[in-house]
Amino acid sequence: MIRPSGRLQALQNDILEDIARGEPLAACMERLCHRAEAISPGAICSVVTVDDQGCLRPLACPSLPQHYIEAIAGAPVGPSIGSCGTAIHRAEAVEVTDIAADPLWQDFTELALPLGLRACWSVPIKARDGRVVGAFAFYFRKARPPRELERRIVATCVHLCAIAIEQDEVRARNHRLAYFDTLTGLPNRAQFNAAIATMSAATRRYGLMLIDIDYLKTVNDTLGHAAGDALIAEIGGRLGAALAGCLACRIGGDEFAVLVPDCTEPARLRRLASAALGAIAAPIEHDGHSIQPSATIGAAIAGEDGGDSVTLRQNADLALYHAKETRRGRYVRFRSRLRSAMMRRIRVRKEVDGALGDERIVPHYQPIIRLDTAEIVGVEALARMRLADGRLVAAGDFQDALHDPKIAHRITSLMLAATTADMAGWQAEGLHFQHVGLNVTSADFEKGDLVQRAAKALERAGLPAQQLVIEITEQVFMGGRRDGVARTMEALRACGMPVALDDFGTGFASLTHLLDFPIDIIATCAPGSRSLATAGAAIRMAASGVMTTFCSPPG
C-alpha cells in the first residue's frame, strides 16, 4: 500500500510533467483535483482564477455540479464572497468550518447547503511577482477544519497551481506576441498570412482590403511618435469595431489588411470599405491636439481579381497604390488596367532615375510678362528630361515619376542648384529679372527640408531670397495636410522667398482657399470665361492688399 506522502509526491511529479509537456491548463488542473480528492477521500477540490475585472472564473471543479459552477462564475472578488472570493481579496487563507453559520457565506448558503457542502478552506494562489491569480479550495461534507494531511495536500496543490497558471500566462503572452500586434491588439502579419493561406487553400471566395493611414509621418514629425502611436491604436480599434465578422490585421507601421470571408459581390466590399473610412474619419484628441485621421483603401476579390493569395495581394496592393496617387483618402478596387498603368510608371521612373544619375534633368525657362507693359519681368524654371538621342521631354511626360517621393525630392534639389546657378550667371552678364519661379512637389513638403535646401542654394549662388519664387501647384496646395503646407509656406516667406500658386483654377481650389494660405502670387489661371472671372476677382483681392501680385505667363 502506498503511503499518502508517496501518493502526494507522485501527484506532484505527474502534474509537473504535464506542465512541462504543455498540457492545456484546464486539463492539468482537473487532473490535479481528481488526484488530490483520491488522496483525501471525502474532500471536494476546486481551482478558480480571477480575471482582469476582479471576477471569479472557475478553472477546474470536476466534482461540483454544473449549476454551482455557473452560479459562482463572474462573482466579484470581495470581503464576503464565500471562501475563495474572500481569500483572493485578502490575499490570505480563509477557513470556514461551518458554511451555514459563517457570514462570509451568507449570500451563498442556499447554493452550497443543498449539495451537502458544510465547510470550505480556500488558499490564494500567488504568482512569483506577488499577484493573486486565483484560489485553491477544499470543500468538506462535515463542519470541521482541515487535518494536517489535507493542509499538506493543499500546500502542494497551491504550489503546482501557481506554476501551471504562470506557465499558461507565459504561453498566452508568447502567443500574443507571435500572432497579435501589441499596439492595436489586432492580429498581426503572421496571423494574416496564415489566415489568407487557409482561405486560399479552401478555394473560398473572399475579399481583401489593404488600408494605409495617410500622413502618419507628418503626425510623427509635428506632434511626436506618441501621437502617431495613438493614431495607429485608435484606427486599429475603429477598424475592429466597424468590420465585425471580418479579420482586421495590422501588417506594418501604417498598414492594415482586412479579410472579408464569403465575399463574392464587389458591392459588399465597397460597403465595408465605406464603413471603414467613415469609422476612421472622426477626429482624435491627443495631448491637447486634434488629429483628423484619413486612410486610403485598395481591394481585390479572390477568384475574380486573383486566383491565388500571392496574386490577390499584389493586385490589392496595386489598387492601393493607385488610390494613394489618384484618390487619396478613398477606396479603389483592382482593375486589370491598373497593372498596365503600374508597368508604365515603373518604366518612367527607371528612365527618370537614370536621367538624374546622368544629370539629364535640366531647367528650361518660360518668360513671365507684365500685362500692362508687355515687359518680361521674370521666368519660370521648367524641368525637362534630355533623352539619350538629345530630344527633350516635358515634365508632363514623366509626371508619373514624381509620385515617387525620393525621385521628386532629387529633381527639386537638382533644379534648385541649376536654377540658382543660372540666375547668378545671368546677373554676372548684366541680365536681371525681378524673380525666377520654381515648382516644388508634395514630397518637398513631406520631407520637411524645403526651406533649408532653397536657402542653401541661394546662399551658394550669392542671390537675395526674394528673387526665387517657390511655386506650388493646386494639387499640392489642396492635397497635403493644410497645417503642414501652410507652415512651410510661412517659413519660406519669412526667409524672403515669395510663394506662388501655380495652375490656379485648373482643379478644386477656390478664392476662399487663398485666404487660408499665405500666397503672394497666383500664376497661370486656366483659359475660359469662368477662369477670367476668377482672375478678375483675384486681381481685385490683390488691389485690396490680400495678395501682392497677380501674374499670368502666356499659354
Side-chain angles (χ1 to χ4, degrees):
M1 180 177 177
I2 302 176
R3 296 171 61 86
S5 59
R7 297 173 69 186
L8 189 57
Q9 183 64 52
L11 176 153
Q12 179 170 289
N13 292 342
D14 289 347
I15 298 302
L16 286 173
E17 187 175 334
D18 287 347
I19 295 170
R21 282 201 309 265
E23 292 290 329
L25 178 62
C28 232
M29 295 297 94
E30 287 225 357
R31 187 179 184 195
L32 174 70
C33 289
H34 282 305
R35 295 286 294 275
E37 291 170 354
I39 300 172
S40 179
I44 295 174
C45 297
S46 76
V47 182
V48 297
T49 57
V50 58
D51 63 20
D52 293 339
Q53 286 71 47
C55 296
L56 297 178
R57 297 296 169 194
L59 181 59
C61 312
S63 299
L64 291 171
Q66 187 62 32
H67 77 272
Y68 183 91
I69 297 170
E70 292 173 355
I72 64 174
V77 169
S80 301
I81 307 297
S83 299
C84 290
T86 306
I88 294 172
H89 174 73
R90 294 179 182 174
E92 62 183 31
V94 171
E95 288 187 20
V96 173
T97 57
D98 186 357
I99 287 176
D102 198 298
L104 298 182
W105 277 83
Q106 63 182 359
D107 293 334
F108 305 96
T109 53
E110 293 182 2
L111 186 64
L113 296 180
L115 299 176
L117 304 178
R118 294 294 181 267
C120 182
W121 182 34
S122 182
V123 178
I125 303 167
K126 297 181 181 180
R128 280 177 296 179
D129 59 8
R131 289 178 300 118
V132 178
V133 294
F136 180 88
F138 254 14
Y139 291 87
F140 306 107
R141 297 191 182 279
K142 291 183 180 180
R144 67 172 180 84
R147 302 186 180 96
E148 182 57 32
L149 173 61
E150 291 160 342
R151 292 183 186 278
R152 287 169 54 200
I153 295 171
V154 169
T156 299
C157 289
V158 167
H159 178 63
L160 292 171
C161 288
I163 295 173
I165 291 173
E166 278 203 273
Q167 286 298 310
D168 189 68
E169 287 181 342
V170 170
R171 283 195 295 269
R173 185 163 55 250
N174 289 342
H175 181 269
R176 288 202 65 80
L177 290 173
Y179 293 103
F180 289 87
D181 174 56
T182 55
L183 183 58
T184 63
L186 293 176
N188 63 9
R189 179 183 288 273
Q191 193 169 164
F192 167 75
N193 288 341
I196 195 171
T198 300
M199 286 185 172
S200 295
T203 64
R204 293 175 59 186
R205 292 292 296 272
Y206 62 92
L208 170 62
M209 292 191 289
L210 297 180
I211 304 173
D212 258 17
I213 300 175
D214 298 328
Y215 312 115
L216 177 62
K217 183 180 184 301
T218 302
V219 173
N220 285 332
D221 291 346
T222 56
L223 300 179
H225 285 274
D229 286 349
L231 176 62
I232 293 169
E234 181 64 26
I235 287 179
R238 292 178 181 183
L239 286 175
L243 302 175
C246 304
L247 181 67
C249 309
R250 184 187 178 205
I251 59 173
D254 60 354
E255 300 173 279
F256 295 85
V258 179
L259 289 170
V260 183
D262 303 316
C263 180
T264 59
E265 294 295 328
R268 183 183 175 213
L269 204 57
R270 187 168 56 251
R271 286 194 300 271
L272 288 170
S274 178
L277 292 174
I280 290 170
I284 296 172
E285 299 299 323
H286 175 77
D287 196 24
H289 298 279
S290 182
I291 303 172
Q292 182 60 59
S294 172
T296 304
I297 302 179
I301 296 178
E304 191 171 340
D305 300 328
D308 58 82
S309 61
V310 174
T311 303
L312 189 74
R313 291 171 73 169
Q314 289 175 346
N315 290 343
D317 202 47
L318 283 174
L320 174 62
Y321 193 90
H322 182 75
K324 288 166 67 175
E325 290 191 346
T326 62
R327 303 186 69 192
R328 185 176 286 271
R330 306 285 293 279
Y331 162 79
V332 169
R333 185 186 153 217
F334 173 77
R335 294 289 187 273
S336 58
R337 65 177 180 272
L338 297 183
R339 186 171 295 279
S340 300
M342 174 60 72
M343 296 307 295
R344 179 182 180 279
R345 282 195 289 267
I346 292 173
R347 177 180 57 78
V348 170
R349 288 178 188 181
K350 185 176 180 180
E351 290 176 355
V352 173
D353 188 63
L356 282 165
D358 298 339
E359 297 184 351
R360 289 187 286 107
I361 300 294
V362 295
H364 272 229
Y365 299 96
Q366 172 177 276
I368 297 174
I369 301 173
R370 178 167 175 153
L371 295 178
D372 57 351
T373 65
E375 174 190 4
I376 296 176
V377 295
V379 293
E380 180 182 8
L382 305 173
R384 296 289 184 263
M385 179 171 64
R386 183 182 294 116
L387 301 180
D389 60 7
R391 289 181 298 127
L392 288 177
V393 176
D397 292 333
F398 57 88
Q399 184 71 27
D400 283 342
L402 298 180
H403 293 302
D404 185 319
K406 291 181 180 179
I407 288 179
H409 190 268
R410 289 172 64 192
I411 288 177
T412 298
S413 294
L414 186 150
M415 289 291 289
L416 276 169
T419 300
T420 51
D422 285 346
M423 292 165 66
W426 296 333
Q427 288 198 7
E429 294 176 5
L431 183 62
H432 297 279
F433 293 119
Q434 291 182 9
H435 56 263
V436 176
L438 176 66
N439 259 302
V440 295
T441 68
S442 57
D444 297 304
F445 286 91
E446 292 167 9
K447 185 74 173 178
D449 62 351
L450 176 59
V451 178
Q452 294 87 339
R453 285 189 293 149
K456 285 181 180 178
L458 288 165
E459 183 181 356
R460 282 194 297 266
L463 299 170
Q466 64 267 23
Q467 287 190 341
L468 179 64
V469 176
I470 300 297
E471 297 186 4
I472 65 171
T473 64
E474 186 174 298
Q475 183 181 6
V476 174
F477 180 74
M478 298 296 295
R481 292 185 69 88
R482 294 170 67 90
D483 52 353
V485 172
R487 277 198 299 270
T488 301
M489 291 164 66
E490 285 285 14
L492 289 166
R493 298 176 77 222
C495 289
M497 285 173 269
V499 177
L501 176 59
D502 200 7
D503 295 335
F504 181 65
T506 60
F508 299 100
S510 68
L511 290 170
T512 57
H513 291 109
L514 302 180
L515 302 176
D516 297 329
F517 285 85
I519 296 292
D520 295 295
I521 301 169
I522 299 177
T524 318
C525 279
S529 58
R530 182 177 177 182
S531 292
L532 288 175
T534 302
I539 291 172
R540 289 190 292 275
M541 290 173 66
S544 65
V546 174
M547 293 171 295
T548 58
T549 312
F550 177 88
C551 61
S552 177

